[in-house]
Amino acid sequence: MALYQHILIAADFSDHTDMVIQRAKALAAANNTRLSLCHIVEDFPLTDFAYEPMISVDADMRDALLDAGKKQLSALGQKFDIATENQWIEFGSPGRDIVRIAEENNVDLIVVGSHGRKGIKMLLGSTANAILHHALCDVLAVRLQDKS
C-alpha cells in the first residue's frame, strides 16, 4: 500500500512553484499517487477613499483575476502533466480554502512552499502556517531558497 493516495499541490505562482511541484511529483511517482493542483486567488479587501468599512474586490476584478489564474494553473497542469479534472482555482482565503479542498477531495498530503518571514511565519509563511495548523492530513512544507 502506498504511503499517500492523493497529493494536493498548493501553487502560489511564485518563482518557486516549479520546485514545489517537482517535489510533489517525485513523491507521487514513488507512491503511484494521484496528483492535484490548486490555487486560491486571495480576496484582498480594499478600503474606500473615505476610509470607510472595507469592501471586497468588485465582480469584474474578481472575474479577471480568476481568468488569469485559470490560465496560469492550466499552463502548470500541462507542463507537469496534471489532469484538468485534478485542478482547482477559487477566490477566497488560501489557508482556509486549500484545507477545505483537501478535505472535499480526500487528499492525504498537501504540498506547499514555505517562505521565510518573522516568528513562526519565518519558518513557514502565513499560508503554509495556516494549512499546517488546520489540515486534517499531512502537510509537506517545501523549504524555498531565494534565487541568487
Side-chain angles (χ1 to χ4, degrees), residues 8-10 20 98 110-114 127-128 131 139-143:
L8 176 64
I9 303 162
V20 173
I98 292 165
I110 300 170
V111 179
V112 63
S114 63
T127 298
I131 293 168
V139 177
L140 172 62
V142 177
R143 176 89 172 132

Side-chain angles (χ1 to χ4, degrees), residues 35-47:
L35 193 59
S36 295
L37 184 61
C38 76
H39 176 76
I40 306 300
V41 177
E42 192 159 6
D43 182 9
F44 286 109
L46 304 172
T47 305

